[in-house]
Amino acid sequence: MPSRQSSAPRYSVGQEVIFQAALECFYRHGYDGTSVRDIAKASGTTPAAMYHYYESKQDLLVDIIGRFMGQSIEVTSAAIGTENGPSAQLFAAARSHVLWNASDVVSSFVVNSEIRSLEPVNRRRVIAQRDKLQRMFDAVVEHGVAEAVFATPWPREASRAVVTMCTAVANWYKSSGELSPEEIADRYGAMALSLVGAREMNPM
Amino acid sequence: MPSRQSSAPRYSVGQEVIFQAALECFYRHGYDGTSVRDIAKASGTTPAAMYHYYESKQDLLVDIIGRFMGQSIEVTSAAIGTENGPSAQLFAAARSHVLWNASDVVSSFVVNSEIRSLEPVNRRRVIAQRDKLQRMFDAVVEHGVAEAVFATPWPREASRAVVTMCTAVANWYKSSGELSPEEIADRYGAMALSLVGAREMNPM
C-alpha cells in the first residue's frame, strides 16, 4: 500500500482538523452545498479558526485537491521508478494507482467531482497536475509500443482507459468486499497489461 | 449514436423545462448547492411550477437519475440484442455505452456524483438499476469465458473495468476533440475485447 503521508504537508493539529472536516463536508454535501459555518461546526471550531489557516473556502478546496493530486503523481512516479521495462512499469503504476484511490475514496471522490468548483486559475493548475499524471502512464505505454512489447494501435486511448478504470475503483471499493485492495490491485495491473496488448502478461 | 429519446417519458413542455433547468443546476452546483428557488429562477418559472410536477427537489433528482439509468439499460440491452456471440456483443455493448455517456455528459456526471444525495429507498432503487446494467455486461463476459473465446481469469473484475472505463469517457470527452464519438466508441469496443483477452479481436 503506498504510504499516505509521503510528502503530505505537515499541518498543525488545528489545521488538519479543519482540512479533514472540510473534506468530509464536501464529500457529503458538495462544495456549493457546504458553508464556512458548516465546516466550523463539523470541526468543532469557529469560522475565525478556518480563516486563520485559509483565506477562503476556495483556498481549502485548492489545498484538498492539490494535496491529493500531488501525492497521486508521487505515488505513480515511485511505482514506475522502481521497475524496469514497460510491462513491469505499467503493472506497477496501475497497481499503485488502484491502491492509492482505494486507500482514500473520500478524497478521490471530492477531487473528481469538485474540479468544477475551482476558480479558473486554480482549475488550470489542477488540470495540469492531472495531465502530468496521465503523461506518466502515456510515456510507459508509448515506450512499450516503441519496443513492440505492447501491441495496442491506440497508446493514448489505452493509457487513458487504464487510468480511468483504476481511478474508478474508488467509486465501488468497499473494505467489506471479498477481495483485499492488494488482490484488486494485482488484477488491475494484469488487466492494464491485457488492455495494451502486452506480449508478456506476468511481470511479477 | 443511440437515440436519446427511445423511451424517455413524454413530458409536457413545462415539465421538461423544469427537468432540464434542475439538471443544469445540479451539474454546476450539486444537489445540496441548489435550492428550489434556484431551479425556478433557472427555468424562468416559480417554485409553485416545480411543485406542480414534483413533490420535492428529491423527487426531481430521482426522476433525473432514474431516466438516465433506465435509458442506459435499454441502450445496452438493444446493443447486445442485435449481435450474436460474446465478442460481437461485448464490442457493441462497450461501444454503445461510450456513445451514450458521451452524448449526455451532463446527465452522466449528475448520475455518478449525486447518488449520495438520494434518500435510502431511492438510492436502493438506483443501485439496483446500476447492478442490472453491470449484470448485462457480466453475462456477456461470462458467456465468452464459458465458450473459451475470452481468456480473462477474472470475468467479474474485467466486466466492471469495461463499464467504468466506458462511463468515464463522459469525464473527459469534448466535442471539440480530435476524435469523433464514433471513433472513440470503436476504440473502446476493441479495448474492451483486449481487456477480456478475446481470441477474435475484430468482430466488425
Side-chain angles (χ1 to χ4, degrees), chain B residues 46-119:
Chain B
T46 61
M50 191 206 85
Y51 288 116
H52 178 71
Y53 297 109
Y54 295 99
E55 278 181 28
S56 61
K57 188 176 74 159
Q58 174 74 199
D59 195 21
L60 235 170
L61 182 65
V62 167
D63 195 27
I64 286 172
I65 296 183
R67 186 201 280 196
F68 188 81
M69 288 304 302
Q71 290 182 312
S72 298
I73 288 167
E74 272 180 47
V75 162
T76 301
S77 175
I80 292 172
T82 53
E83 300 293 339
N84 285 308
S87 293
Q89 288 176 328
L90 183 64
F91 183 89
R95 198 180 178 286
S96 75
H97 196 55
V98 166
L99 287 175
W100 174 250
N101 281 279
S103 75
D104 190 354
V105 300
V106 171
S107 293
S108 182
F109 180 86
V110 170
V111 168
N112 287 300
S113 60
E114 294 298 357
I115 288 177
R116 66 177 165 186
S117 302
L118 291 169
E119 290 163 8

Side-chain angles (χ1 to χ4, degrees), chain B residues 14-59:
Chain B
Q15 183 168 2
E16 190 67 29
V17 163
I18 288 163
F19 181 100
Q20 295 296 338
L23 177 60
E24 189 68 25
C25 288
F26 297 161
Y27 179 64
R28 288 183 187 280
H29 304 291
Y31 179 77
D32 281 349
T34 299
S35 67
V36 169
R37 195 164 294 275
D38 294 330
I39 296 168
K41 199 176 166 194
S43 61
T45 64
T46 61
M50 191 206 85
Y51 288 116
H52 178 71
Y53 297 109
Y54 295 99
E55 278 181 28
S56 61
K57 188 176 74 159
Q58 174 74 199
D59 195 21

Side-chain angles (χ1 to χ4, degrees), chain A residues 27 29 32 116 157 194, chain B residues 27 29 32 116 157 179 194:
Chain A
Y27 180 64
H29 304 292
D32 281 349
R116 65 176 164 185
E157 282 78 26
S194 189
Chain B
Y27 179 64
H29 304 291
D32 281 349
R116 66 177 165 186
E157 282 79 26
L179 299 176
S194 188

Side-chain angles (χ1 to χ4, degrees), chain A residues 26-106:
Chain A
F26 296 161
Y27 180 64
R28 289 183 186 280
H29 304 292
Y31 179 78
D32 281 349
T34 299
S35 67
V36 169
R37 197 164 292 276
D38 294 330
I39 296 167
K41 199 176 166 195
S43 61
T45 64
T46 61
M50 192 206 84
Y51 288 115
H52 179 72
Y53 298 109
Y54 295 99
E55 278 181 29
S56 61
K57 188 177 73 158
Q58 174 75 198
D59 195 22
L60 236 171
L61 182 64
V62 167
D63 195 27
I64 287 172
I65 296 184
R67 186 202 280 198
F68 189 81
M69 288 304 301
Q71 291 183 311
S72 297
I73 289 168
E74 271 181 48
V75 162
T76 300
S77 175
I80 292 172
T82 53
E83 300 293 340
N84 284 309
S87 292
Q89 287 177 328
L90 184 64
F91 183 88
R95 199 180 178 285
S96 76
H97 196 56
V98 166
L99 287 175
W100 174 250
N101 281 279
S103 75
D104 190 355
V105 300
V106 171

